Amino acid sequence: MKGKTLAGTKCHRSVSANEQRTATRVSTGAGQRRRRQRMTEHRQMCTPSASRCDTQGTLEDRIRALGSEDLRKICVRIAERNPDILLEVLDSGFLHGPEVTNQHSPDAPDWCVCNRCKHMPTVIESVCCRMTPENCISSSQEMHLCVLQRCVLQTAEAYRRSLFGLPMEADENKRYRHTAYRQYIVWRHGRLGTGNRRVIPSCCVWRIRDRYPDANGVYTGFRPTRF
């Protein structure tokens, strides 16, 4: 009788183990199917469709048909809803033709390659991105998206304050300016450890300062200790 009980127990354990393995395989398969479905949906979203191209062409035709007064009204509405878009377009200088040339600007320091740097107060801050004028980091789309956009800076600054329990800086431009410096470092170098500081190229520093200027034109500059 005891032997039968032990045999029954072993059989029950074996069945339970088999059921568990089957459930695991079913769960894994379902998870893989969901992941494949999400990847397919993501590819579909990222792939321009013919309808999107048609919509873009139709939109351009409608814009060309508008009068100057209608265009001004649309620009004002865009500025109210998303000012960063207009700021990016205006900063690009396309209204006045190409902004950059291969000739060295008389205002650029001798150590500048990109033609967008300005004289800095210290030698350690006198750094250029070392790119050609056409490919200067300060004018790149990534710089705008990762470093200059107000909504990005608002999120990063709020997260940092909540993480470290810091008070809010009263000067809004100073708050965004310092957050933009940190965003640039994370974008270009990743997260740095305590005491490991990097100098931001002059062209990028001034792109940030021009977007979020100090009312008196007074800036802290690079400091070897963490701010």
Side-chain angles (χ1 to χ4, degrees):
M1 185 69 180
K2 185 177 181 180
K4 291 182 179 179
T5 303
L6 291 174
T9 302
K10 291 179 180 179
C11 181
H12 176 71
R13 289 177 179 174
S14 177
V15 171
S16 299
N18 289 334
E19 291 176 348
Q20 185 175 4
R21 284 193 293 269
T22 301
T24 301
R25 284 196 296 269
V26 171
S27 176
T28 302
Q32 291 175 347
R33 285 193 295 273
R34 285 194 296 270
R35 284 193 294 271
R36 284 196 295 268
Q37 183 178 358
R38 286 195 296 266
M39 291 175 64
T40 301
E41 292 173 351
H42 178 72
R43 282 195 296 269
Q44 291 173 347
M45 292 176 61
C46 295
T47 303
S49 63
S51 60
R52 291 183 190 176
C53 296
D54 293 342
T55 302
Q56 180 69 20
T58 304
L59 182 59
E60 291 177 358
D61 292 338
R62 293 178 63 182
I63 291 174
R64 292 190 183 97
L66 293 172
S68 58
E69 186 60 31
D70 290 332
L71 289 173
R72 289 191 186 94
K73 291 179 180 179
I74 291 174
C75 287
V76 171
R77 181 63 61 87
I78 294 174
E80 292 172 350
R81 293 189 177 185
N82 194 336
D84 282 338
I85 293 178
L86 277 184
L87 286 172
E88 179 189 4
V89 173
L90 294 174
D91 287 348
S92 68
F94 89 102
L95 292 173
H96 308 287
E99 184 181 3
V100 295
T101 64
N102 290 323
Q103 296 180 352
H104 192 77
S105 170
D107 298 328
D110 294 337
W111 43 265
C112 175
V113 176
C114 69
N115 223 14
R116 292 172 180 263
C117 296
K118 297 182 181 181
H119 291 279
M120 304 300 286
T122 63
V123 175
I124 194 172
E125 293 175 270
S126 301
V127 176
C128 176
C129 70
R130 310 300 296 176
M131 303 296 287
T132 62
E134 299 83 6
N135 298 309
C136 177
I137 293 176
S138 69
S139 61
S140 67
Q141 179 71 6
E142 291 82 1
M143 174 82 178
H144 172 76
L145 294 175
C146 301
V147 180
L148 297 175
Q149 281 206 97
R150 186 180 296 267
C151 60
V152 172
L153 299 181
Q154 287 173 339
T155 303
E157 192 270 337
Y159 175 75
R160 185 172 183 268
R161 280 193 294 105
S162 64
L163 185 64
F164 296 105
L166 301 173
M168 178 181 287
E169 168 62 50
D171 187 333
E172 184 180 75
N173 272 8
K174 181 178 180 180
R175 188 165 72 242
Y176 289 148
R177 196 167 57 245
H178 284 200
T179 303
Y181 295 152
R182 286 188 287 269
Q183 284 293 108
Y184 178 91
I185 294 299
V186 172
W187 169 48
R188 300 297 297 180
H189 305 291
R191 184 181 180 277
L192 302 179
T194 303
N196 186 4
R197 306 288 312 282
R198 299 289 181 92
V199 178
I200 300 175
S202 170
C203 50
C204 297
V205 167
W206 280 104
R207 181 75 192 279
I208 294 171
R209 291 176 179 177
D210 289 342
R211 177 61 65 86
Y212 303 105
D214 181 82
N216 300 314
V218 178
Y219 300 99
T220 303
F222 178 80
R223 296 192 301 186
T225 56
R226 184 180 180 182
F227 60 81

